[in-house]
């Protein structure tokens, strides 16, 4: 069987993505070999391709996928050949038909969840899990608390809207069009702000009676950074977990005092899933939310693996709402 993988030989635009034949060997200790049914598409893949997050070259791309375990290496006990499985994992390399990879972040996929849903939800869903469950302001979050979530019509955002609703939180969404705002509202946001036509910080203060929100979850970066700080209540938390519009500029630490003794953090998923036990616990939480129907994973587009360049162009142009998958 001929196996295919997407590689880049130099950083740059979508034209750098090449589909090549590859050999897939046997798993070593702590590894598995998985044959993909679907592969996830995420904005971090664009950062890897462009060189914003540099990788050793030549590099394979892709951080999540789902399929069937074909073989396991020595020491792997939580997976067996034939298991349905899904993952969000380093190192990159999910854009392929099959791969050998570390086993610690690969989880059994419940029968109630399809391969496409598994591939579309692992990185995004685990991100929402660590944000809403672990990346919390002073005193945590209680039902009725208001939070602000940027890019709420994307794959991460739509999961966050639903998960926040299940937790009783009042999620205020931002998005770049009226259509995307409606989508966020349909998925559980209590307010939605078109940041292209409105001052979102002013709207947030209006919605909250001038106080602001306990926490802002911001994956946009440069374009929203200052406004996000202005949305915080005293002692609030700004969680910057991405930079879709460009990196956040340096800040003067005194600004945090001026804004009301606020906090800033830059969390990453891979810090949270550093061990198999942590990954399993977070995955169980995610699987439970999806299997219960409280979180439904919207797959907006499906692309053949050979069409990965178009998928990246659509992702960068913000043409994809919800999630998208590549099909080997």
């Amino acid at each position: 069987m001929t196996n295919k993988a997407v590689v880049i030989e130099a950083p740059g635009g979508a034209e750098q993505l090449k589909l090549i034949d590859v050999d897939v060997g046997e798993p070593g200790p702590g590894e598995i070999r998985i044959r993909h049914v679907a592969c996830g598409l995420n904005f971090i893949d664009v950062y890897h391709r462009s060189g914003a997050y540099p990788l050793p070259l030549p590099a394979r791309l892709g951080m999540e996928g789902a399929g069937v375990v074909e073989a396991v290496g020595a020491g792997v006990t939580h997976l067996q050949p034939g298991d349905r499985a899904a993952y969000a994992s380093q190192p990159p390399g999910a854009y392929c038909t099959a791969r050998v990879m570390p086993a610690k972040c690969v989880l059994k996929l419940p029968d109630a969840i399809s391969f496409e849903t598994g591939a579309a939800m692992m990185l995004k869903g685990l991100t929402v899990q660590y944000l809403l469950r672990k990346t919390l302001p002073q005193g945590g979050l209680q039902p009725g608390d208001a939070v602000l979530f940027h890019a709420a019509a994307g794959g991460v955002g739509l999961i966050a809207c639903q998960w926040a609703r299940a937790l009783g939180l009042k999620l205020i969404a931002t998005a770049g069009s009226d259509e995307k705002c409606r989508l966020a509202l349909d998925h559980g946001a209590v307010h939605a702000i078109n940041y292209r036509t409105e001052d979102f910080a002013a709207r947030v203060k209006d919605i909250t009676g001038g106080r602001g929100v306990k926490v802002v979850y911001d994956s946009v970066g440069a374009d929203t950074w200052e406004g996000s700080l202005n949305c915080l209540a005293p002692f609030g938390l700004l969680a910057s977990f991405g930079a879709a519009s460009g990196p956040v500029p340096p800040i003067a630490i005194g600004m945090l005092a001026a804004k009301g003794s606020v906090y800033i953090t830059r969390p990453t998923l891979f810090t949270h899933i550093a061990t198999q036990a942590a990954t399993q616990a977070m995955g169980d939480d995610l699987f439970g939310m999806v299997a219960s129907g409280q979180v439904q994973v919207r797959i907006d587009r499906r692309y053949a693996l050979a069409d990965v360049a178009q998928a990246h162009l659509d992702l960068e142009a913000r043409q994809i709402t919800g999630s998208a998958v590549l099909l080997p």
Side-chain angles (χ1 to χ4, degrees), residues 9-270:
E9 296 174 348
E15 72 280 357
Q16 295 293 338
L17 298 162
K18 296 181 173 63
L19 187 63
I20 64 169
D21 293 339
V22 294
D23 293 324
V24 180
E26 296 300 316
E31 294 181 330
I32 65 160
R33 186 174 72 238
I34 186 170
R35 183 157 300 278
H36 289 137
V37 176
C39 315
L41 184 71
N42 295 281
F43 216 93
I44 193 173
D45 307 340
V46 174
Y47 298 152
H48 286 150
R49 190 209 71 219
S50 69
Y53 293 177
L55 296 174
L57 297 170
R60 298 188 187 184
L61 299 187
M63 302 298 291
E64 68 179 346
V68 178
V69 177
E70 290 189 328
V72 302
V76 177
T77 59
H78 67 289
L79 295 166
Q80 298 295 327
D83 283 347
R84 304 171 77 252
Y87 66 86
S89 178
Q90 292 179 324
Y95 289 3
C96 63
T97 55
R99 68 184 294 201
V100 170
M101 64 179 295
K104 71 175 184 178
C105 292
V106 184
L107 302 179
K108 284 187 181 180
L109 184 66
D111 290 341
I113 300 174
S114 73
F115 287 115
E116 286 192 7
T117 298
M121 78 178 192
M122 291 301 289
L123 192 144
K124 303 170 193 68
L126 291 174
T127 295
V128 174
Q129 199 279 344
Y130 87 72
L131 289 174
L132 294 183
R133 297 289 203 187
K134 299 182 178 184
T135 311
L136 303 174
Q138 276 196 16
L141 291 171
Q142 286 77 43
D145 284 342
V147 304
L148 178 65
F149 209 101
H150 288 301
V156 173
L158 292 183
I159 293 173
C161 288
Q162 298 172 80
W163 205 318
R165 176 173 58 189
L167 294 175
L169 302 175
K170 295 180 179 179
L171 186 143
I172 303 169
T174 74
S177 71
D178 291 343
E179 180 184 8
K180 289 181 178 180
C181 285
R182 286 192 294 272
L183 191 60
L185 291 169
D186 289 343
H187 283 74
V190 295
H191 299 278
I193 304 166
N194 183 341
Y195 62 77
R196 297 190 188 279
T197 60
E198 299 181 84
D199 180 337
F200 71 82
R203 275 290 313 281
V204 167
K205 287 299 180 73
D206 287 343
I207 290 167
T208 60
R211 178 167 178 78
V213 296
K214 280 190 172 183
V215 60
V216 177
Y217 297 110
D218 189 338
S219 63
V220 176
D223 288 354
T224 53
W225 173 255
E226 187 173 352
S228 291
L229 282 173
N230 292 334
C231 290
L232 291 174
F235 310 109
L237 173 67
L238 172 50
S240 174
F241 68 101
S245 67
V248 172
I251 67 163
I253 195 72
M255 181 187 300
L256 305 183
K259 298 294 183 183
S261 301
V262 298
Y263 296 78
I264 297 174
T265 186
R266 179 49 174 99
T268 71
L269 171 62
F270 296 106

